[in-house]
Amino acid sequence: MTAIDRRDFLKGCGVAAIAGGTSSRALAYFAPPDIVPTSASNDTLVVVFLRGAMDGLSLLPPGAASPYRADYEAARSDTRIPTSGTGAALTLNGTSWALHPRASGLRTLFNQNRLAFIVGAGQSQPNPVIRSHFDAQANLEFGFGGGTGTNIGWLTRHLASGGLPAVVPLPATSLGNITASSLLGSSDAITMNSASDFRIDGFHWSWSEDDSSHGLVGAVSRMHALWNSNATQLESAGVETLASLDLLRPINFGAYNATSNPGGYQPTGGANYSLAYNSGFGDQLRNVAQLIKSNLGLRVATIDLGGWDTHVGQGNPTNSYDYFGNQVESLSQGLSAFYTDLANSAAGNLMSRTSVIVVSEFGRRVQENSDGGTDHGYGNVMMALGASVNGGQVYGSFPGLANAQLYQGTDVAVTTDYRRIVSEALIRRMANPNIYYVFPGYSGYTPLGIFQGTDLPPAGYDAIFKNGFDAPG
């Protein structure tokens, strides 16, 4: 019989759902018994998914002196990022690349050697390339370079094989309306729109409000009375669950406001999440920063920033309304605030044990379309952010933009599989060498040198799970 633990109890018995706090779709998942977990690090991995296929050539266009600049300008006019005059791209020190002018926060982090770009990145997969958003996102999040996916996400396999301690109050969270597919199948992850959901205040009366004069007993009192011993596995799990919730209950996850919420969260180092054009993205990054600072054992967090499917009216920095620029500003200001906040924590530089990976399902076509936008492509740009990132560099081999260099004559080719980048983060930062278990079908890993840390021999997985690692029914 599989032992009941605190996280499975919380999910399986529906405590969080009853409380109206979360919208998790997670299912119980257990690591195969022959996978021997390693000793996990205390790092946190934050995965930011730019849903809709971000145009990497507009975020990171070739600079004025780049050998790719002429081909870039020949392919784009309405969406071109200029290198001089109004809306000129920002230069990146020591590279032939530039950066969208509304990504000033990202350029600062890059020049501080805390941010790295990886060009020609994406899903190495057989022909034909998957150009469906739904299918490409699913394949990426289930951990396959292409082909058939499963209902178990790659982050779930990481959590199962990464050697987490037996009891962690909050191992993983997925910020959004639904669980990120990379965390599907995990009993460790809880899904929420806002971290305030964890406070479990959704009962008919307050979580902690006892009103004896009216015969009302607060929900927390009722639950503590229900689970008050360790006589059985179920009761023990209930006690552990309440202990975890007790850690979260006092935390005020709302933003500080001197009038309306004086007890709210105040970022450190002058970080300002409200500068993000998309305020929801900034709020979710703020929540993750607060959870990391709260020392609740958070190992994995996923955040989505959607709206990158720019077939029509993508815009450019010379326009009065620059849609793509708004998206870039949200990304840049949000990540800049997140870094500043954690790097200046009272507990020290928490970005030294926090790594951010930014990924999109695929890139856009090199040639812009007649509607002032760009259509579905292939190779793209990824980002890695952290105090333990060897930043200030552009990694990867860029295949070129001349017609003969394009994949199928239309797209940036993929020269670096996204799994190679993530695997390096898992090994060097999360101390999990089981990357061939996390990414079934992947082989031949070698580090690019993006992340600092110790290299561990890449490990495999048991052959009986080669069919996709579906949890036993």
Side-chain angles (χ1 to χ4, degrees), residues 45 79-80 87 114 117 159 162 164-165 177 187 199 258 285 322 336 356 367 400-401 414 425 430 440 445 469:
L45 177 64
T79 61
R80 182 189 305 165
R114 299 306 180 219
F117 295 97
L159 290 169
L164 285 179
N177 292 318
S187 61
R199 297 191 61 178
L285 285 168
D322 178 15
S336 179
V356 182
Q367 180 69 52
L401 297 177
V414 171
M430 311 302 287
Y445 162 78
F469 302 92

Side-chain angles (χ1 to χ4, degrees), residues 385-462:
L385 171 66
S388 296
V389 165
N390 295 315
Q393 300 182 59
V394 177
Y395 292 84
S397 173
F398 192 72
L401 297 177
N403 289 339
Q405 297 169 321
L406 300 180
Y407 181 81
Q408 296 183 343
T410 57
D411 305 320
V412 173
V414 171
T415 55
T416 299
D417 193 299
Y418 81 101
R419 293 170 295 183
R420 183 180 182 186
I421 301 162
V422 176
S423 292
E424 186 176 324
L426 295 184
I427 290 176
R428 291 189 171 186
R429 300 310 314 159
M430 311 302 287
N432 183 5
N434 297 313
I435 59 171
Y436 298 146
Y437 168 66
V438 174
F439 294 117
Y442 180 52
S443 62
Y445 162 78
T446 56
L448 282 168
I450 299 170
F451 298 92
Q452 300 167 17
T454 302
D455 283 317
L456 304 170
Y461 54 93
D462 190 87

Side-chain angles (χ1 to χ4, degrees), residues 10 14-22 190-192 194-209 218-220 223 241-242 244-246 248-251 253:
L10 179 61
V15 172
I18 292 172
T22 73
I190 296 177
T191 302
M192 59 181 181
S194 166
S196 60
D197 293 342
F198 279 99
R199 297 191 61 178
I200 317 298
D201 286 322
F203 286 86
H204 293 299
W205 55 91
S206 174
W207 166 263
S208 56
E209 180 181 348
V220 67
M223 294 176 70
T241 297
L242 291 176
S244 295
L245 293 176
D246 284 344
L248 294 161
R249 182 162 51 90
I251 301 173
F253 287 105

Side-chain angles (χ1 to χ4, degrees), residues 15-42:
V15 172
I18 292 172
T22 73
S23 57
S24 175
R25 306 184 309 176
L27 307 171
Y29 176 73
F30 307 96
D34 53 350
I35 295 291
V36 179
T38 58
S39 178
S41 72
N42 196 34

Side-chain angles (χ1 to χ4, degrees), residues 31-357:
D34 53 350
I35 295 291
V36 179
T38 58
S39 178
S41 72
N42 196 34
D43 275 33
T44 301
L45 177 64
V46 180
V47 179
V48 176
F49 202 132
L50 306 182
R51 295 191 186 271
M54 184 270 298
D55 179 21
L57 286 174
S58 287
L59 176 67
L60 190 74
S66 169
Y68 315 119
R69 185 69 196 184
D71 291 321
Y72 169 80
E73 292 191 354
R76 299 192 171 196
S77 56
D78 289 344
T79 61
R80 182 189 305 165
I81 310 299
T83 56
S84 62
T86 302
L90 306 172
T91 57
L92 289 181
N93 293 346
T95 78
S96 61
W97 296 93
L99 196 57
H100 193 286
R102 292 177 69 180
S104 58
L106 295 182
R107 182 176 69 164
T108 297
L109 292 168
F110 181 90
N111 289 341
Q112 292 173 345
N113 299 329
R114 299 306 180 219
L115 175 68
F117 295 97
I118 305 94
V119 295
Q123 301 186 59
S124 296
Q125 54 194 28
N127 290 328
V129 168
I130 298 173
R131 302 190 190 277
S132 157
H133 293 294
F134 178 83
D135 290 340
Q137 289 177 18
N139 278 325
L140 188 147
E141 292 190 277
F142 290 138
F144 291 79
T148 304
T150 76
N151 61 347
I152 301 297
W154 70 263
L155 278 171
T156 297
R157 290 191 290 270
H158 158 60
L159 290 169
S161 63
L164 285 179
V167 177
V168 180
L170 182 63
T173 184
S174 180
L175 276 292
N177 292 318
I178 62 174
T179 304
S181 295
S182 55
L183 279 167
L184 283 182
S186 174
S187 61
D188 288 312
I190 296 177
T191 302
M192 59 181 181
N193 276 317
S194 166
S196 60
D197 293 342
F198 279 99
R199 297 191 61 178
I200 317 298
D201 286 322
F203 286 86
H204 293 299
W205 55 91
S206 174
W207 166 263
S208 56
E209 180 181 348
D210 294 323
D211 187 349
S212 57
S213 63
H214 292 86
L216 298 179
V217 180
V220 67
S221 297
R222 288 186 177 273
M223 294 176 70
H224 275 291
L226 178 64
W227 307 108
N228 59 6
S229 76
N230 292 302
T232 66
Q233 282 191 347
L234 185 61
E235 288 173 321
S236 178
V239 170
E240 288 185 8
T241 297
L242 291 176
S244 295
L245 293 176
D246 284 344
L247 292 174
L248 294 161
R249 182 162 51 90
I251 301 173
N252 184 338
F253 287 105
Y256 169 81
N257 184 288
T259 302
S260 61
N261 192 20
Y265 177 68
Q266 298 187 65
T268 48
N272 188 349
Y273 292 96
S274 66
L275 293 177
Y277 195 87
N278 184 320
S279 60
F281 179 64
D283 290 345
Q284 290 180 339
L285 285 168
R286 171 174 52 81
N287 286 167
V288 172
Q290 187 174 5
L291 289 169
I292 291 172
K293 287 184 180 181
S294 298
N295 198 29
L296 297 172
L298 185 67
R299 299 305 206 276
V300 167
T302 66
I303 302 178
D304 288 351
L305 178 58
W308 299 93
D309 195 15
T310 51
H311 289 280
V312 178
Q314 179 171 317
N316 67 59
T318 67
N319 294 345
S320 58
Y321 179 71
D322 178 15
Y323 176 82
F324 186 85
N326 293 342
Q327 293 286 105
V328 169
E329 185 173 327
S330 293
L331 179 66
S332 177
Q333 297 287 11
L335 291 179
S336 179
F338 183 75
Y339 189 96
T340 300
D341 189 5
L342 287 179
N344 293 279
S345 168
N349 184 358
L350 296 182
M351 281 305 302
S352 64
R353 61 177 181 85
T354 303
S355 299
V356 182
I357 292 178

